[in-house]
Amino acid sequence: MSVQAGSRDDDDLQGDREFAFSSSDYAFLAKLLKEKTGIDLGPSKQNMVYARLAKRLRKLHLPSFRAYCDFIAGPDGIDELGATLNALTTNLTKFFRENHHFEHLGDQALTEIRARAATRGKRLRIWSAGCSSGEEPYSIAITLKRSMPDIAQWDARILATDIDTEMVRRGGEGIYNPESLEGMAPDLKAKYFETSGPGIPPGKVRVREDVRQLIAFKHLNLMDAWPMKGPFDAIFCRNVVIYFDKDTQRVLFDRYANLLVPGGFLYIGHSENLFGITERFKLLGRNIHRKIA
Ligand SMILES: C[S@@+](CC[C@H](N)C(=O)[O-])C[C@H]1O[C@@H](n2cnc3c(N)ncnc32)[C@H](O)[C@@H]1O
């Protein structure tokens, strides 16, 4: 690891906090996060970092953030590093978030995607990159099921990846609090979720097996080499790059373009854009892009 824990005599950031947390501890953690994930916290997320990591210090019985930084920088810290990254990523998501993207997928994109896939052995691939706890890829899968009643006759697969191992695990389970389905049409809830059965904890709902089968959940850091070759018909990478700097975004969107079929679709989040990042996509509107052939 090329980030170094800071010196011991720098200023302490907090007043009455449980653990000492200095500006060099923050600088160390922010640099580590940027190097490992692309996420650039900037200079002022100290409170967030403290709140998210304090429970790790408690669990490990460490007396200060300096001790925590030394631990993850040291030879025994490799496992904890994963927990650090899990704690520092922001996983906010919901079913059918920015629903116009799923409307576009179901009403327009899939017509094209099917026509193209029909000439390629009915192979249809969609990637949810930065899938968090699974609500996004399940929304894609439900859209596919609704728009393609003959889906069983297609080689249709969704890849769902995230850097956060806990999110990937939860996504694979497909178990949610009923409140997370609030606002969803009752017929969708009834058709694609079950409330009882083996493996479903009381008071929870689970995505039905036929929907779960469409998705492969995998741990993947977008900054690393990607094992999959594609091509993908569509990529959802929404609300992931908000904290990436422009250079990191340039590389990432270029790699997405390389993996998409010509004319393939890229969906990005409402506060994200590709201006000054890449010219390999044409904006169709509402943060939906088409790869230029
Ligand atoms: C705010 S959530 C967005 C979830 C979903 N795409 C949506 O829009 O609802 C951002 C996700 O991106 C993931 N993420 C951040 N940096 C990543 C990286 N370098 N590689 C893979 N996933 C990353 C986070 O772990 C988090 O789950």
Side-chain angles (χ1 to χ4, degrees):
M1 183 186 303
S2 58
V3 244
Q4 303 287 315
S7 62
R8 265 155 222 287
D9 54 0
D10 50 8
D11 54 320
D12 204 321
L13 289 171
Q14 83 283 359
D16 297 330
R17 282 175 171 163
E18 181 183 357
F19 301 108
F21 183 38
S22 71
S23 53
S24 74
D25 299 335
Y26 176 72
F28 170 82
L29 290 164
K31 188 162 184 244
L32 175 75
L33 189 70
K34 173 94 195 304
E35 279 189 9
K36 297 288 176 192
T37 70
I39 297 169
D40 189 351
L41 289 178
S44 56
K45 290 283 195 310
Q46 289 90 347
N47 288 343
M48 184 196 90
V49 169
Y50 183 94
R52 291 184 179 188
L53 289 179
K55 53 183 174 292
R56 297 302 311 162
L57 273 72
R58 253 173 245 126
K59 183 155 199 271
L60 295 165
H61 305 292
L62 291 171
S64 66
F65 272 75
R66 175 55 35 77
Y68 185 74
C69 293
D70 287 345
F71 180 59
I72 53 178
D76 300 328
I78 191 78
D79 290 341
E80 179 58 20
L81 184 58
T84 313
L85 301 184
N86 285 0
L88 292 179
T89 52
T90 296
N91 307 116
L92 187 73
T93 187
K94 61 187 276 215
F95 286 104
F96 294 100
R97 181 184 197 181
E98 298 172 50
N99 188 40
H100 51 275
H101 287 165
F102 302 99
E103 288 172 354
H104 178 270
L105 178 68
D107 297 342
Q108 297 176 49
L110 272 177
T111 311
E112 279 182 40
I113 291 173
R114 278 171 65 116
R116 217 171 13 232
T119 65
R120 291 183 291 127
K122 293 191 151 187
R123 181 185 180 281
L124 193 159
R125 295 288 183 273
I126 299 179
W127 179 14
S128 166
C131 64
S132 189
S133 41
E135 288 86 338
E136 179 177 276
Y138 286 125
S139 304
I140 298 171
I142 291 170
T143 304
L144 256 57
K145 299 269 300 174
R146 296 181 77 199
S147 302
M148 297 177 65
D150 61 342
I151 193 159
Q153 279 131 52
W154 292 74
D155 171 18
R157 303 284 297 149
I158 298 160
L159 173 66
T161 64
D162 203 281
I163 194 174
D164 187 329
T165 49
E166 175 59 14
M167 292 301 120
V168 174
R169 187 193 65 73
R170 280 170 49 186
E173 277 185 352
I175 294 173
Y176 298 95
N177 288 321
E179 300 78 56
S180 63
L181 273 52
E182 265 167 26
M184 196 184 288
D187 64 314
L188 291 194
K189 288 187 201 171
K191 199 161 179 192
Y192 300 114
F193 295 85
E194 54 193 350
T195 52
S196 61
I200 305 176
K204 302 275 185 179
V205 296
R206 185 171 63 194
V207 183
R208 286 186 191 274
E209 169 74 10
D210 57 330
V211 180
R212 282 188 283 131
Q213 268 180 358
L214 288 172
I215 308 175
F217 282 92
K218 303 274 183 204
H219 174 242
L220 180 72
N221 183 347
L222 291 169
M223 298 302 112
D224 289 346
W226 300 345
M228 62 279 187
K229 302 229 180 323
F232 289 96
D233 300 286
I235 296 176
F236 284 67
C237 182
R238 307 182 315 153
N239 310 301
V240 175
V241 304
I242 331 170
Y243 299 114
F244 291 6
D245 65 27
K246 296 273 178 207
D247 284 340
T248 307
Q249 292 188 32
R250 267 183 207 108
V251 173
L252 184 64
F253 286 111
D254 202 47
R255 294 174 81 192
Y256 286 153
N258 292 342
L259 275 199
L260 274 169
V261 296
F265 298 94
L266 173 70
Y267 299 86
I268 65 174
H270 64 282
S271 59
E272 297 159 338
N273 66 70
L274 300 185
F275 299 120
I277 302 287
T278 173
E279 300 194 341
R280 296 182 69 186
F281 296 90
K282 177 181 183 318
L283 178 62
L284 303 178
R286 307 196 78 180
N287 282 354
I288 305 165
H289 299 77
R290 181 194 287 288
K291 179 185 162 182
I292 296 167

